[in-house]
Each structure stands twice: as structure tokens, then as C-alpha cells.
Amino acid sequence: MTQKQRVAVTRRLPRICEERLAARYDVRLGDDGVVYTAETLAAHAAGAAALLVTPSEALTAAAIAALPATVKIISTVSVGFEHVDLAAAKARGIRVGNTPDVLTDATADIALLLMLAATRRASEGERMVRSGAWTGLRPTFFLGTQITGKRLGIIGMGRIGAALAKRAQACGMRVLYHNRKPAADAAGATFVATLDELLAHSDVLSLHCPLTPETKGLLNAARIAQLPQGAVVINTARGGLIEDDALIVALQSGKIYAAGLDVYAGEPALDARYKTLENVFLLPHIGSATIETRTAMGMLAIDNMEAVLNGVAPPHAVA
Ligand code: DGY
């Protein structure tokens, strides 16, 4: 009997993904509680032909340099791949795959949820009911603001942006977007040629672009100043797109009416001031966290891995 190839997986996967792996490979499963360093990642990957990771692992140039020579592919269970140094992987001849498409609807749902929760003060309201501080319905009690008739500005009209545009239009919003060039499928949203113009016309602004050196800190104080008074900010993409200081000051002053955030720079740590603000709705990076979507992501990550182990290109290669 031929020996099974070893594959190293940093985190637990949905059961059917783990079963698929176990049927064909010698699987080394990581522990969800571990914070990996370059050294512990390399130790985990010892003897493995493939390494399945998530955005919680930093595959820096140093971490990639430390990986054993057996590793042929880094397959990330995510669409985002900013945590993998692609140049370092290429330099070592290691392929990198990601999991686009399958998380589009789940993530757009969370963006809509954040938008509604932020504008309707859901977090504050829930806390009030739980604490017993609710004293009953009054005509002017606990008023939020309505999304119907408002303008949604989307930065980054990819698949998730388009899926959010559909949802927002169904809620009666007018949708504008800014990209480097008009998108092939903008789901009926209107292209705006400059970011300045988009900002000036966004009652709600939702971020859907990747985190790159160019987009890091994109939503800074100067850009927040360009938004209409009382605008709402939504982020399901990456925390590093926002300068936290600038957003927090704007939330405190009322320039920004509310924010809905699922992602944070340095997560799971986040700027402690967010937790003190009533007008922020905070979620723990769960954009794609449904059993259906995480299963599909796991399966796609395994497809990428398996392709490379079978000597062909991964279906979703980023390097
Ligand atoms: C991704 O896929 O990049 C998400 O942020 C994690 O689900």
C-alpha cells in the first residue's frame, strides 16, 4: 500500500471537508486556539506536501522561507490573500490558491445586516432590552435612520459589491460605485469616475476592495470629511482599509452617524474605543461564516490543493 501524502491544515474545517481530506491524505490538523508564528507554522507543516491556512495565519516572507521544502501549495480558505506574501511563495516555487465566488452571498448578507443594524441602532436596542432599561414605545423613542431612498456608495465593485448592490436596490436604495474602471457586472449600480465624487454622494459607504499597499488606510480623515454629514460606514472587507483614529473621531463628533464593522486592523484585537461607542455595530469577522459557505470554501481550498498534488494548476490560483 502506498503511503498517504501528508497535508497540514492550520484550523478545523467543516466535518465533510475534514472527512474528504482524511480519506485520501495523512492529515495534520491544527488547533483553533493556536497563534502560529513562522516557527510553529513550519513545524506544523513538517513533511507536508500542502498547507491549508486561513487569514489568521501570517504567511510572511520569513514564514514562507521557513516552510519545509516538501510544501508545494499554500491553499487559503478565504478569498482574501493579503496574509500570504505571493512574491516569497513564487520565489520558492510554492503555488497559492484562494476561494472566490462561494462566499459572495454570505458576505453581502452580512454587509446588509451591518447597514440595517447600524442605521437602526440594533446593538444599542438589544442591550437596552437585555438590561431591562426599556420603558416602552413612545413616538420619539429610539429613532434611527432609514436606508430607503438613501444613496449607497460601494468602493470596489467585485462579486460581493454587486451582490450587495442587488440587496440594497431591493431595499429602495440608489447604488453608486467606484472602481478603477466600470465593472462588467455592476448589478444596475451607477459608475462614478472618481473616489472624491463617490464619497460626496454616499449616505452609506461600504468597502469591498482588497487590502493592498495602495488601499491601506484608504478611509482616512480627509476622505471621511468628504462624506455627507451623518453618513454611515460599513466594512466587511479588511480592517486595514480604515484609519481607526479618523473613524472613531468622526463617530464621536456625529460626522459619521454610525458604523457597522465585521473586520478590524490587527483582529481579533480592535481599538478599544469602538467598544465604548453606542453608534457602532460590531461583529467578529463572520462575513462568510455559514455552514454552507464555509463548507464550500473548504472544498474549494481542497480542490486547489489536490490539483497541485496531482501536478495541475489550481482552479483558483493567485500565485
Ligand atoms: C475571506 O475569505 O477573505 C474572508 O474575509 C474570510 O471569510
Side-chain angles (χ1 to χ4, degrees):
M1 203 176 86
T2 52
Q3 221 183 348
K4 285 176 170 178
Q5 275 179 306
R6 170 165 295 170
V7 301
V9 184
T10 54
R11 308 288 169 186
R12 299 304 305 262
L13 298 174
R15 190 174 46 82
I16 68 165
C17 300
E18 290 187 357
E19 284 172 359
R20 175 176 165 195
L21 283 172
R24 294 202 51 181
Y25 303 98
D26 166 16
V27 186
R28 180 178 289 156
L29 267 183
D31 180 334
D32 277 358
V34 169
V35 178
Y36 287 97
T37 62
E39 292 71 34
T40 57
L41 257 181
H44 188 66
L51 180 59
L52 260 74
V53 300
T54 74
S56 298
E57 287 77 67
L59 276 301
T60 58
I64 289 173
L67 289 177
T70 47
V71 174
K72 297 191 177 112
I73 174 164
I74 297 168
S75 181
T76 184
V77 189
S78 61
V79 65
F81 48 84
E82 73 294 325
H83 54 293
V84 185
D85 188 319
L86 299 185
K90 272 187 201 152
R92 284 206 59 190
I94 298 175
R95 301 301 305 262
V96 181
N98 73 337
T99 62
D101 293 327
V102 292
L103 45 61
T104 299
D105 285 320
T107 309
D109 287 347
I110 285 289
L112 179 63
L113 184 155
L114 290 176
M115 195 151 67
L116 288 166
T119 53
R120 301 301 297 274
R121 305 170 58 186
S123 191
E124 204 184 337
E126 218 245 357
R127 277 196 299 276
M128 178 178 281
V129 174
R130 285 180 190 272
S131 72
W134 182 31
T135 54
L137 189 151
R138 313 275 185 268
T140 57
F141 166 71
F142 216 78
L143 305 184
T145 182
Q146 197 145 334
I147 59 170
T148 318
K150 299 271 166 61
R151 300 162 299 179
L152 168 65
I154 293 181
I155 302 183
M157 182 53 77
R159 305 172 192 90
I160 298 170
L164 176 63
K166 285 185 198 144
R167 286 158 174 74
Q169 287 167 113
C171 294
M173 299 185 87
R174 195 175 138 221
V175 187
L176 312 168
Y177 75 97
H178 174 68
N179 257 8
R180 269 177 302 199
K181 53 183 186 30
D185 175 16
T190 305
F191 176 66
V192 173
T194 67
L195 183 54
D196 291 348
E197 201 190 332
L198 183 84
L199 293 169
H201 295 94
S202 297
D203 301 310
V204 179
L205 181 74
S206 193
L207 306 179
H208 296 281
C209 47
L211 179 63
T212 65
E214 293 72 42
T215 61
K216 189 165 187 289
L218 174 120
L219 194 62
N220 56 20
R223 295 211 169 98
I224 288 174
Q226 290 176 271
L227 288 166
Q229 175 64 29
V232 170
V233 169
I234 304 301
N235 192 9
T236 53
R238 285 295 183 264
L241 297 171
I242 293 180
E243 276 190 10
D244 288 327
D245 256 337
L247 180 58
I248 288 165
V249 167
L251 283 161
Q252 286 165 338
S253 72
K255 163 72 188 179
I256 296 298
Y257 175 77
L261 307 176
D262 185 45
V263 288
Y264 311 89
E267 61 184 49
L270 66 152
D271 191 311
R273 290 172 293 172
Y274 281 127
K275 295 188 233 170
T276 69
L277 291 168
E278 290 286 19
N279 53 346
V280 192
F281 187 84
L282 305 168
L283 288 179
H285 200 153
I286 55 166
S288 62
T290 65
I291 184 63
E292 296 87 349
T293 293
R294 285 286 165 81
T295 300
M297 291 167 75
M299 289 299 186
L300 215 49
I302 298 170
D303 290 345
N304 282 334
M305 179 201 93
E306 210 144 53
V308 172
L309 300 191
N310 289 332
V312 295
H316 296 286
V318 290

